[in-house]
Amino acid sequence: MADTATTTSAAAASPANASTDAPPFQLGKPRFQQTSFYGRFRHFLDIIDPRTLFVTEKRLREAVQLLEDYKHGTLRPGVTNEQLWSAQKIKQAILHPDTNEKIFMPFRMSGYIPFGTPIVVGLLLPNQTLASTVFWQWLNQSHNACVNYANRNATKPSPASKFIQGYLGAVISAVSIAVGLNVLVQKANKFTPATRLLVQRFVPFPAVALERSPWDAAAHIQASANICNVVLMRYGELEEGIDVLDADGNLVGSSKIAARHALLETALTRVVLPMPILVLPPIVMSMLEKTALLQARPRLLLPVQSLVCLAAFGLALPLAISLFPQMSEIETSQLEPEIARATSSRTVVYNKGL
């Protein structure tokens, strides 16, 4: 009954028609179809839009209030679909979907590129010492850990102690992996052919990547460290399970199997995330380094590399997180028997997290 009343009141408060290409507004639904990769890509471009970092507290309150007015059928005359979609974009970019609490700016998906790019540039600085490698890896994995935690599925309360345990485990293990593989890759050129073959078989992800490019090595190393990070930071979801909802948004139950799917999907996005940074910058920089400008002014190499990193990072993030919809769907037959018995729906949805 409550859902029907909400739908009726929202319909009564339908926005004014305007000469715009904006589709009819749907509260809580993405503006773009989530069944296609392109639709998800356009949706996540809104979520990671860095302009939302500059939204004031007043503008956020106005956006939330506009959506509340729509929900309760008290929308003022003249409000357009575009205004409602814009308000929902602001809310989704700043507030967590499960808790409705503000996500700290550096840990929002819209802040991932602006705050993460300087760290990526630091990771790729040449001639690093062990101390500088450890520092940049610690900073990178600390940022990743906080982003993973801030954008987790938060349908179950999590004590601060679990965050601290997850953070320490994630950062220590991820930094150990990254530094260890860095050292291994750097020493690969000194190995005998037989030892190098052994490394390629048992450690395929670095695979003596430094011989080809330091970017290649860094991307493989970051992929393995990122998986470790996201699993440890969100391990509590595997223990407690996450909420699954039916098509009407009603809570069906808590599922550990859905939590495993959510974690797997998120981990896969972290594998894909470094790939554009692996492929694009070496190609672009190899061409730019041959230009007369950079040959005459080698001091410009780092700023240019930073801009190339920023562009690659800006492409990588929406591509990676668009692999799966944030609200993922799963058949009840794949979940726990008690979940299947609790609903007549063939499928349920869950917040995968980002």
Side-chain angles (χ1 to χ4, degrees):
M1 283 296 292
D3 291 334
T4 305
T6 299
T7 304
T8 305
S9 61
S14 56
N17 292 325
S19 55
T20 176
D21 293 331
F25 179 72
Q26 298 181 70
L27 184 64
K29 302 290 185 182
R31 178 171 181 168
F32 306 102
Q33 287 293 328
Q34 299 296 284
T35 52
S36 69
F37 177 84
Y38 180 64
R40 295 193 296 272
F41 182 77
R42 294 185 69 186
H43 168 69
F44 284 117
L45 283 179
D46 275 351
I47 298 296
I48 69 168
D49 187 348
R51 291 175 299 179
T52 59
L53 295 173
F54 302 99
V55 170
T56 63
E57 189 69 32
K58 179 184 177 183
R59 179 71 185 95
L60 176 60
R61 286 198 303 269
E62 289 174 349
V64 172
Q65 186 58 53
L66 189 65
L67 297 175
E68 285 296 311
D69 290 345
Y70 176 86
K71 179 179 179 180
H72 295 104
T74 57
L75 199 63
R76 66 180 184 273
V79 175
T80 64
N81 284 309
E82 187 62 46
Q83 288 174 307
L84 288 167
W85 284 120
S86 177
Q88 184 156 275
K89 169 183 173 177
I90 290 171
K91 181 182 178 182
Q92 290 178 338
I94 298 175
L95 303 183
H96 193 285
D98 294 331
T99 64
N100 276 323
E101 295 178 356
K102 283 181 70 173
I103 300 173
F104 186 45
M105 190 182 291
F107 308 146
R108 297 174 196 164
M109 278 299 168
S110 56
Y112 195 58
I113 295 171
F115 289 95
T117 298
I119 300 174
V120 171
V121 173
L123 286 167
L124 296 172
L125 289 174
N127 305 318
Q128 293 203 40
T129 64
L130 179 60
S132 65
T133 299
V134 170
F135 169 76
W136 286 111
Q137 288 293 347
W138 165 77
L139 191 60
N140 180 50
Q141 295 304 330
S142 293
H143 184 235
N144 285 342
C146 291
V147 169
N148 289 333
Y149 184 80
N151 294 279
R152 72 197 187 285
N153 180 297
T155 54
K156 294 284 186 296
S158 179
S161 59
K162 281 202 172 182
F163 166 75
I164 295 171
Q165 291 172 6
Y167 168 78
L168 292 175
V171 171
I172 291 172
S173 56
V175 169
S176 299
I177 289 171
V179 173
L181 292 181
N182 245 330
V183 171
L184 181 66
V185 167
Q186 287 171 3
K187 291 183 177 179
N189 288 332
K190 301 176 183 178
F191 291 163
T192 64
T195 305
R196 192 176 304 170
L197 180 62
L198 192 66
V199 170
Q200 289 175 337
R201 285 179 177 174
F202 288 95
V203 194
F205 35 87
V208 200
L210 197 64
E211 292 183 3
R212 299 196 301 273
S213 164
W215 302 77
D216 198 343
H220 283 89
I221 288 166
Q222 288 310 310
S224 55
N226 288 348
I227 293 173
C228 180
N229 193 312
V230 73
V231 169
L232 285 174
M233 284 307 299
R234 295 180 55 179
Y235 185 75
E237 296 173 31
L238 296 176
E239 293 182 322
E240 303 290 337
I242 59 175
D243 289 351
V244 293
L245 313 172
D246 63 18
D248 297 321
N250 300 314
L251 177 63
V252 175
S254 182
S255 170
K256 293 182 180 180
I257 297 176
R260 288 205 297 269
H261 280 262
L263 213 57
L264 175 61
E265 289 168 352
T266 306
L268 287 174
T269 67
R270 298 306 191 267
V271 173
V272 174
L273 185 55
M275 296 309 168
I277 303 174
L278 158 71
V279 175
L280 297 179
I283 297 172
V284 175
M285 289 304 298
S286 65
M287 293 187 293
L288 293 179
E289 286 169 359
K290 297 175 183 177
T291 62
L293 177 65
L294 289 184
Q295 287 184 347
R297 297 175 176 82
R299 290 184 178 181
L300 292 178
L301 272 173
L302 184 58
V304 170
Q305 179 176 302
S306 301
L307 290 175
V308 172
C309 258
L310 178 63
F313 205 178
L315 175 65
L317 182 60
L319 283 176
I321 61 178
S322 298
L323 290 176
F324 307 98
Q326 182 168 359
M327 297 303 295
S328 291
E329 189 175 56
I330 187 171
E331 293 185 1
T332 54
S333 58
Q334 299 180 36
L335 300 179
E336 294 86 344
E338 59 269 22
I339 298 291
R341 289 194 298 267
T343 180
S344 57
S345 299
R346 189 177 64 85
T347 61
V348 290
V349 296
Y350 57 90
N351 176 18
K352 170 185 68 67
L354 291 176

